[in-house]
Amino acid sequence: MIRLKNAKQIDGIRKSCKMLSAMYRELIPLVKTGVETIDLDHWVRRWIKQAGGRSAFLGYGPGDNPYPAALCVSINEEVIHGIPSKRKIAEGDLVSLDCGIDLGGFVSDQALTVEAGRVSEAARKLNRVTRECLHRGLGAVKAGDRLLQIARAVEGHAKPAGFSVVTRYCGHGVGFDLHEDPQVPNSPHGANPRMSPGLVIAVEPMVNLGKGDVDLLEDGWTVVSADRKLSAHWEHTVAIVENRTEILTDELAL
Ligand code: MF3
Ligand code: CO
């Protein structure tokens, strides 16, 4: 069931989104060669706490294997949900960051992919096209139109560029919880409801350099491309407010 949000509730979600993007503006300069990804996670935990929010990721998921961090750091062939560790970011890494904040019960979600130092030409193109896919998808978020238009826009940009969209994982409704209905696929399959005012969703293309198939690692979280080729991920939280579409998280300079 899709839970539509009223103007006051969207205002709460907007504040959560602005806090999340403010966090990212300070985090991005810290994502550099030689930094341990666990240090980024600890920095994010402290930042969210001092700002008066809570992590929407820490402890999320199944009771026997809850997500153990506030930040996801997915490097190179890792698609999403990479767990921060003692691993150091290396020159040329493609580093996807994903984070969510719960501010007074209102949840935000945003992801982006940072290039550490000088990355390969292929990595740069993959990252640029994935970011463009996000904006094509967001451009399809319109009251009265159908949800799978987002997927058509995303896939219609990734495929001609020679890349593959990951179909195993999707965007999602967000705002009261991290994952709500509807599912927001990046390839046009499944339920196709009409979008209406009050809809709040996370649009999040995951695009692979090779094939779109993925594997789940032993830790139960880290999703990698099955062919172990590069992957990129960009995400915004977006709302339909009356008859206008508003991207609630901020576009960040990289
Ligand atoms: N942003 C991720 C998503 O959209 C959520 C990460 S799952 C968590 O699916 F467990 F880390 F919270
Ligand atoms: Co998400």
Side-chain angles (χ1 to χ4, degrees):
M1 209 242 317
I2 299 175
R3 290 183 286 174
L4 298 175
K5 281 83 177 172
N6 65 33
K8 216 176 134 197
Q9 292 163 336
I10 291 178
D11 200 49
I13 300 166
R14 185 186 291 109
K15 286 190 172 75
S16 178
C17 288
K18 297 305 172 198
M19 178 181 282
L20 178 57
S21 298
M23 184 282 291
Y24 269 124
R25 269 191 286 277
E26 293 181 41
L27 174 64
I28 289 164
L30 307 178
V31 182
K32 289 188 302 209
T33 302
V35 173
E36 289 180 7
T37 61
I38 191 83
D39 290 339
L40 297 176
D41 179 60
H42 289 152
W43 184 93
V44 167
R45 291 189 199 207
R46 283 194 306 273
W47 196 99
I48 294 174
K49 195 174 174 185
Q50 63 78 30
R54 274 190 344 103
S55 168
F57 288 11
L58 185 65
Y60 183 85
D64 61 347
N65 188 25
Y67 189 70
L71 182 69
C72 300
V73 186
S74 308
I75 300 178
N76 296 334
E77 76 283 0
E78 296 172 351
V79 178
I80 48 169
H81 302 170
I83 300 174
S85 71
K86 300 284 282 177
R87 176 173 180 176
K88 286 190 171 78
I89 292 169
E91 173 76 17
D93 278 349
L94 206 47
V95 184
S96 298
L97 305 173
D98 193 349
C99 192
I101 291 179
D102 178 331
L103 180 63
F106 295 112
V107 179
S108 51
D109 195 2
Q110 183 173 16
L112 54 96
T113 299
V114 175
E115 300 168 10
R118 286 162 64 118
V119 303
S120 67
E121 192 65 36
R124 261 227 317 268
K125 183 183 172 197
L126 174 69
N127 200 22
R128 174 178 56 79
V129 169
T130 306
R131 191 176 190 173
E132 289 166 357
C133 284
L134 170 59
H135 289 96
R136 299 289 184 106
L138 291 168
V141 178
K142 285 200 186 103
D145 285 2
R146 294 211 180 254
L147 187 82
L148 290 182
Q149 288 299 120
I150 300 169
R152 289 191 188 92
V154 167
E155 197 172 60
H157 188 59
K159 267 195 175 163
F163 301 136
S164 310
V165 148
V166 173
T167 58
R168 177 70 186 73
Y169 295 87
C170 298
H172 48 91
V174 67
F176 298 149
D177 281 305
L178 181 58
H179 291 143
E180 300 178 31
D181 285 343
Q183 286 214 107
V184 181
N186 292 306
S187 183
H189 304 283
N192 193 14
R194 229 180 258 288
M195 295 178 276
S196 46
L199 182 75
V200 182
I201 55 176
V203 176
E204 51 177 317
M206 291 147 266
V207 180
N208 289 357
L209 187 64
K211 294 208 168 74
D213 307 278
V214 296
D215 290 332
L216 181 62
L217 296 189
E218 299 280 68
D219 62 22
W221 281 103
T222 312
V223 176
V224 298
S225 61
D227 57 17
R228 303 301 194 264
K229 292 185 179 172
L230 294 174
S231 186
H233 180 210
W234 285 81
E235 175 179 34
H236 272 309
T237 295
V238 61
I240 302 179
V241 189
E242 285 152 17
N243 276 301
R244 286 191 321 103
T245 300
E246 180 184 344
I247 303 171
L248 299 178
T249 39
D250 293 338
E251 187 63 17
L252 298 163
L254 280 194

